[in-house]
Amino acid sequence: MRKTQWFDFRNFFQKPSFKSSTKSRPFNAYSFVPFSPVAMLDPTILTIGGIVLGIAIIERILERWGVIDLVDQFAKVMRFILPVTFYSALIYFFATFMF
C-alpha cells in the first residue's frame, strides 16, 4: 500500500521547485514550405520571360532605327501583354509548385 503525502496549500506554493516536472526531449523541426530559388528555373517561365525580353529588345532596336510608327504599335500591344504574361506566369508557377 502506498503512503499518502499531505501538503499544506500555502507551503506548497511558497516553496520553489528544484525538480523539473517535464523532461526536455530533442525534436526535429521541419519547414512546411520547402522553397528553393532553383524552382524558378522552370523552362516554361524562362521561355515566357525570354519572349517578353526579346520583344522589348526588338522595340528598343526599332526605336534607335527611327521606325517610330512600329514602336508605337509595339508599345500598345506590350501595354496589354506584359501584365497578362506576368500574372499568368505567376499563377502557373504557384499552380505547379509542389508545397
Side-chain angles (χ1 to χ4, degrees):
M1 194 185 245
R2 288 186 171 178
K3 187 176 180 182
T4 306
Q5 292 182 348
W6 291 92
F7 293 103
D8 185 17
F9 186 76
R10 289 184 184 151
N11 290 336
F12 178 75
F13 278 105
Q14 287 177 354
K15 289 183 182 178
S17 174
F18 294 109
K19 284 186 178 179
S20 175
S21 61
T22 59
K23 293 181 180 178
S24 63
R25 298 181 203 163
F27 63 95
N28 296 329
Y30 296 100
S31 173
F32 291 108
V33 182
F35 181 76
S36 172
V38 179
M40 294 189 129
L41 296 177
D42 185 30
T44 306
I45 292 180
L46 289 176
T47 303
I48 293 170
I51 291 170
V52 170
L53 186 63
I55 292 172
I57 291 171
I58 289 171
E59 184 181 354
R60 292 293 178 187
I61 291 171
L62 290 174
E63 186 180 359
R64 285 189 184 177
W65 287 352
V67 189
I68 302 300
D69 294 334
L70 198 54
V71 172
D72 288 338
Q73 295 299 323
F74 266 109
K76 287 178 186 176
V77 171
M78 292 298 284
R79 208 173 283 150
F80 173 74
I81 288 179
L82 282 177
V84 170
T85 305
F86 171 75
Y87 289 117
S88 300
L90 193 67
I91 290 169
Y92 172 79
F93 176 72
F94 284 114
T96 58
F97 185 66
M98 298 302 290
F99 283 103

